[in-house]
Amino acid sequence: MRTRVLERGAPALADYEILEMLLFLGIARRDTKPLAKALINRFGSLHKVLEADRDTLAEAGLNPASVAALRLPLLAATRLAAAEARSRPQLGDWEALLAYFDTALGGAVPGQLRILYLDNRNRLLGDEAVNTDASRSAPRVESAAILRRALQLHATAMIGVRLCGDADVPEKRVLADSALASELSRSGALLAIAVHDFFALKGGAWAGLRRLGKL
């Protein structure tokens, strides 16, 4: 089984074989296949075996070492999920978005445009600076570069964030990005990539194109 996992990955194993390998960590030098099959029959699936609590597994006849071995996948999955939530926060509402702005954009360069690339559950795939010049009339060129990056990340949505400088007024600053935002929205729709909004931030003040009716 180890050879099959190394050569073809975990999908090469049946559920009972995965359980068999885990049980071997707690029951050395013994055929664990019958026990693995019996546990799946008793609980109904591999998933339910791994979710069972310590007392229930002990009642099924497992020794403490085997119970500990079967708890490892759930522990690892929980840790991985928590790490993913930290590295890929979900920005599906205004409160989450503001919290992200406060924590992640504090050190960003004033005047810089950042694009937040999101998946279909509004989880962050990337937060990247874009080299743009709001005074330059080349939104189609800039839009193409941003959309190429969105496709590379398999993003299905985007949010633009412009960090204002000291002399900037958020409403005026975000309106300067309206041509780029409109081009992104138009071209992105052809690729099933939505533009949720474009914002300009200055301290606690902000302005958004959707709120201004420009997107």
Side-chain angles (χ1 to χ4, degrees), residues 194-210:
V195 178
H196 287 336
D197 210 339
F198 261 61
F199 296 98
L201 306 178
K202 184 178 182 180
W206 63 274
L209 288 180
R210 288 203 180 277

Side-chain angles (χ1 to χ4, degrees), residues 29 54 94 120 126 136 146 156 175 180 198 201 203:
R29 296 181 297 277
R54 293 177 181 274
W94 180 237
N120 59 2
R136 191 177 67 199
I146 293 169
T156 59
L175 285 172
L180 173 59
F198 261 61
L201 306 178

Side-chain angles (χ1 to χ4, degrees), residues 12-90:
L13 299 182
D15 284 356
Y16 78 86
E17 291 177 313
I18 294 174
L19 189 55
E20 185 180 347
M21 293 186 73
L22 288 169
L23 288 169
F24 189 76
L25 297 175
I27 308 173
R29 296 181 297 277
R30 176 180 149 191
D31 183 9
T32 55
K33 182 184 293 184
L35 179 57
K37 288 184 174 181
L39 286 171
I40 288 180
N41 287 336
R42 175 170 178 163
F43 289 93
S45 69
L46 172 62
H47 179 75
K48 289 183 178 179
V49 174
L50 297 180
E51 279 195 329
D53 59 38
R54 293 177 181 274
D55 292 340
T56 304
L57 292 172
E59 289 172 4
L62 298 184
N63 62 30
S66 297
V67 171
L70 295 191
R71 301 296 293 169
L72 286 174
L74 185 60
L75 175 61
T78 301
R79 292 286 177 88
L80 288 171
E84 183 179 25
R86 289 192 296 270
S87 62
R88 297 178 60 188
Q90 191 166 28

Side-chain angles (χ1 to χ4, degrees), residues 90-156:
Q90 191 166 28
L91 306 179
D93 57 56
W94 180 237
E95 188 172 312
L97 195 58
L98 280 180
Y100 179 78
F101 290 162
D102 289 341
T103 58
L105 302 180
V109 179
Q112 186 180 71
L113 175 65
R114 304 190 70 84
I115 299 294
L116 309 184
Y117 299 93
L118 310 175
D119 67 10
N120 59 2
R121 293 171 59 186
N122 287 322
R123 293 177 301 183
L124 185 67
L125 298 174
D127 172 358
E128 300 180 3
V130 179
N131 293 321
T132 65
D133 182 351
S135 65
R136 191 177 67 199
S137 58
R140 185 167 296 179
V141 175
E142 294 169 347
S143 171
I146 293 169
L147 288 172
R148 278 197 299 272
R149 183 57 179 152
L151 291 173
Q152 290 172 350
L153 293 172
H154 304 289
T156 59

